[in-house]
């Protein structure tokens, strides 16, 4: 590749399993180990460490069923996405597939909503990281830490895709090792066989000894679903990253096939350990955080600081992946003519510089609003992107219904990953997602506000997409005449 910027052409990756160079200007800089760790770490967000305590307090031990329900939904959605991504690896992933299967309006709308979601996440995660870092080094103000974190990870993403992959490999690796160690040590303490443990080793008694398994009633399962659903966002990142890997089809197939055990171990396994080490209504679960409280009950010294290091790693990982994901979605939108053409240009290292800078600039603006107007402007940004995860999953389901036929007609040999019980499970997943959205509206409060504001933003983006399409059609007809 020359040193001049490259404008990516329509068509995306070649889609061949053995391609080492995508045809869209991006470079295949992600190794198999990078993709494997991105796939594993993608389901472990900072929300799991920080937000699980609130879910436990709201539903008690029944929160396990909430995690299981959402986890099942994510497994189905990832299977559908894996089917499409293995057949047609693309930096735009589900947005590009929606474009092909449902129409330009669908790809435009969901692509921009997804970009919006992740640039808001950049501000949230940068602030969360800054809070931890300021607690360690108070001489540096919180806003400065947020700025430092954003600048460092922007530089990493601008360097090369392999730099992103290497950082994410280690960030995700720390998360994975930490959760795995927590589960193993926790289970030993649960059965009273951990040397030197302060925990009485009550076995599974805590699951039912404080008001039963459903202390807040069976309906609390749905309340728990609303509280945990967004901690699963990020599972789909591997399908975007696969377009810059040495063997996209193999990477996507492997990630899709392993999503079940990843959710079972990291989510259900770790929450199960917390609930068996402590009674669900123990105040320390909310005050300290579920994982810190569990570690304290075992008697591990400096549990709070240990967990702060792990949470910071999860925050940096989410920030790193968020910037990567937002920039690649912007790149794909640019390549399809749904964003400025500059977004589709790559430099000599195969990096979409303009797409990265545009994403991070919005992230910086959001960070600024988080400090300047947190109660109105930033709250609006946060709530208006709150239900986007469910919109994305819904679009993936509907797209897969159409894409299966397209793939079978055009490249049936590439249908190496298949959705189970198609189309029945696809329709069942659509019903589950619609039900969750409906329950968010029924539940009221912040959940309703998130759905309503997210729908308003989605409607605005959709109107822009339809106007853009109509204008483009009129222009083509004028040229034709």
């Amino acid at each position: 590749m020359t040193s001049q910027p490259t404008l990516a052409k329509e068509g995306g990756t070649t889609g061949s399993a053995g391609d080492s160079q995508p045809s869209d200007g991006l470079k295949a800089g992600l190794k198999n180990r990078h993709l494997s760790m991105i796939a594993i770490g993608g389901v472990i967000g900072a929300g799991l460490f920080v937000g699980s305590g609130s879910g436990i307090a709201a539903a008690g031990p029944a929160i396990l069923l909430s995690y299981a329900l959402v986890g099942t939904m994510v497994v189905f959605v990832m299977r559908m996405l894996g089917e499409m991504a293995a057949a047609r690896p693309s930096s735009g992933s589900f947005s590009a597939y929606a474009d092909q299967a449902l129409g330009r309006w669908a790809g435009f709308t969901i692509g921009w909503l997804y970009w919006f979601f992740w640039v808001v996440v950049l501000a949230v995660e940068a602030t969360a990281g800054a809070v931890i870092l300021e607690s360690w080094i108070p001489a540096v103000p919180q806003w400065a830490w947020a700025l430092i974190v954003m600048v460092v990870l922007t530089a990493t993403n601008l360097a090369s895709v392999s730099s992103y992959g290497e950082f994410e490999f280690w960030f995700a690796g720390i998360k994975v090792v930490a959760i795995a160690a927590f589960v193993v040590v926790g289970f030993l303490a649960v059965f009273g066989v951990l040397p030197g443990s302060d925990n009485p080793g009550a076995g599974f008694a805590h699951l039912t000894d404080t008001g039963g398994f459903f202390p807040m009633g069976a309906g609390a399962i749905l309340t728990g679903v609303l509280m945990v659903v967004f901690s699963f966002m990020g599972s789909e990142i591997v399908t975007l990253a696969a377009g810059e890997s040495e063997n996209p089809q193999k990477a996507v197939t492997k990630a899709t096939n392993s999503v079940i055990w990843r959710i079972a171990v990291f989510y259900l396994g770790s929450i199960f350990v917390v609930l068996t080490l402590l009674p669900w209504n123990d105040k320390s679960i909310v005050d300290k955080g579920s994982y810190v409280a569990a570690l304290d009950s075992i008697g591990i010294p400096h549990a709070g600081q240990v967990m702060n290091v792990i949470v910071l790693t999860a925050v940096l990982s989410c920030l790193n992946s968020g910037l990567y994901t937002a920039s690649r979605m912007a790149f794909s939108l640019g390549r399809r003519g749904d964003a400025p053409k500059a977004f589709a240009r790559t430099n000599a290292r195969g990096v979409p510089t303009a797409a990265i800078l545009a994403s991070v600039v919005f992230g910086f603006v959001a960070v600024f609003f988080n400090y300047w107007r947190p109660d109105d402007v930033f709250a609006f940004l946060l709530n208006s992107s709150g239900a986007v995860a469910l919109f994305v999953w819904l679009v993936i389901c509907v797209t897969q219904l159409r894409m299966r036929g397209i793939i079978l007609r055009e490249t049936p040999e590439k249908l190496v990953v298949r959705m189970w019980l198609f189309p029945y499970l696809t329709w069942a997943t659509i019903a589950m997602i619609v039900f969750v959205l409906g329950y968010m509206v029924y539940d009221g409060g912040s959940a309703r506000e998130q759905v309503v504001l997210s729908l308003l933003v989605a409607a605005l983006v959709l109107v822009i997409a339809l106007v853009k399409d109509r204008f483009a059609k009129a222009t083509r007809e004028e040229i034709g005449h």
Side-chain angles (χ1 to χ4, degrees):
M1 186 176 286
T2 64
S3 59
Q4 296 299 315
T6 302
L7 179 60
K9 297 179 181 179
E10 287 288 339
T13 59
T14 60
S16 173
D19 283 346
S20 61
Q21 176 65 52
S23 64
D24 55 13
L26 300 175
K27 282 195 173 181
L30 294 176
K31 297 180 172 61
N32 287 333
R33 66 181 177 88
H34 294 151
L35 262 293
S36 296
M37 198 55 75
I38 289 169
I40 295 171
V43 295
I44 311 172
L48 175 63
F49 296 105
V50 178
S52 54
S54 299
I56 291 171
I63 194 69
L64 284 169
L65 296 181
S66 303
Y67 274 104
L69 282 171
V70 179
T72 300
M73 191 164 66
V74 171
V75 166
F76 292 160
V77 170
M78 280 298 296
R79 187 74 184 182
M80 290 179 244
L81 183 54
E83 175 180 298
M84 297 182 286
R88 301 188 174 195
S90 169
S91 59
S93 187
F94 51 84
S95 173
Y97 309 141
D99 194 307
Q100 297 166 35
L102 306 178
R104 292 292 300 275
W105 63 270
F108 179 98
T109 304
I110 204 63
W112 277 112
L113 285 176
Y114 191 68
W115 178 86
F116 175 59
F117 172 86
W118 280 111
V119 293
V120 172
V121 166
L122 292 182
V124 175
E125 300 295 342
T127 304
V131 168
I132 296 173
L133 289 166
E134 188 191 30
S135 71
W136 294 343
I137 309 176
V140 180
Q142 196 179 111
W143 66 266
W145 277 122
L147 183 66
I148 291 168
V149 166
M150 289 279 279
V151 168
V152 169
L153 292 179
T154 300
T156 300
N157 276 264
L158 285 172
S160 67
V161 68
S162 59
S163 297
Y164 156 72
E166 201 62 35
F167 265 73
E168 191 56 25
F169 176 80
W170 292 106
F171 285 155
I174 292 171
K175 288 191 293 185
V176 169
V177 170
I179 289 280
F182 176 80
V183 171
V184 171
V185 171
F187 269 116
L188 291 175
V190 164
F191 293 108
V193 294
L194 183 68
S197 173
D198 295 340
N199 194 277
F204 300 144
H206 288 321
L207 293 176
T208 55
D209 65 4
T210 313
F213 191 76
F214 300 99
M216 312 298 285
I221 296 172
L222 292 176
T223 303
V225 164
L226 303 188
M227 301 183 77
V228 306
V229 66
F230 303 109
S231 64
F232 283 85
M233 192 66 167
S235 306
E236 69 292 328
I237 290 174
V238 68
T239 63
L240 282 85
E244 293 176 81
S245 69
E246 297 163 344
N247 194 328
Q249 193 178 80
K250 181 180 177 182
V252 169
T253 303
K254 185 177 179 182
T256 303
N257 290 336
S258 65
V259 72
I260 296 175
W261 72 260
R262 287 185 276 133
I263 288 174
V265 172
F266 298 129
Y267 279 84
L268 291 174
S270 62
I271 298 299
F272 184 82
V273 165
V274 172
L275 288 166
T276 47
L277 285 175
L278 291 164
W280 70 270
N281 59 352
D282 191 304
K283 290 183 178 180
S284 64
I285 290 178
V286 174
D287 294 342
K288 298 179 180 179
S290 55
Y291 292 85
V292 173
L295 290 173
D296 277 344
S297 77
I298 295 172
I300 292 180
H302 310 297
Q305 287 304 319
V306 170
M307 193 49 61
N308 270 341
V309 172
I310 296 168
V311 170
L312 179 63
T313 303
V315 164
L316 294 176
S317 170
C318 192
L319 234 174
N320 193 36
S321 287
L323 181 52
Y324 171 82
T325 305
S327 65
R328 290 329 186 255
M329 187 56 75
F331 168 82
S332 178
L333 288 165
R335 183 164 56 84
R336 286 178 274 144
D338 290 335
K341 288 184 178 180
F343 287 8
R345 292 193 177 94
T346 56
N347 61 19
R349 298 184 302 279
V351 174
T353 307
I356 291 174
L357 291 177
S359 300
V360 83
V361 162
F362 195 97
F364 276 125
V365 170
V367 169
F368 170 72
F369 281 133
N370 197 9
Y371 288 102
W372 181 51
R373 301 292 292 271
D375 297 327
D376 42 36
V377 178
F378 187 73
F380 171 80
L381 291 176
L382 202 58
N383 285 323
S384 59
S385 65
V388 167
L390 290 165
F391 295 168
V392 167
W393 295 343
L394 190 59
V395 167
I396 289 171
C397 296
V398 176
T399 300
Q400 191 259 343
L401 286 172
R402 299 288 300 276
M403 277 297 288
R404 169 67 74 91
I406 295 171
I407 295 169
L408 283 174
R409 284 196 305 272
E410 297 179 2
T411 53
E413 73 282 359
K414 292 184 178 178
L415 196 63
V416 294
V417 176
R418 288 175 180 262
M419 176 59 185
W420 308 295
L421 298 177
F422 177 82
Y424 308 109
L425 268 185
T426 300
W427 280 111
T429 308
I430 290 172
M432 288 170 66
I433 295 169
V434 171
F435 176 79
V436 172
L437 284 167
Y439 189 78
M440 288 177 73
V441 174
Y442 169 79
D443 193 56
S446 62
R448 178 183 295 170
E449 187 178 4
Q450 286 180 19
V451 174
V452 171
L453 288 178
S454 295
L455 281 171
L456 286 174
V457 171
L460 175 63
V461 177
L462 177 58
V463 168
I464 294 172
L466 294 174
V467 170
K468 179 180 177 298
D469 268 4
R470 177 162 292 191
F471 179 77
K473 184 179 179 181
T475 302
R476 285 194 301 269
E477 289 175 351
E478 188 175 325
I479 293 173
H481 285 104

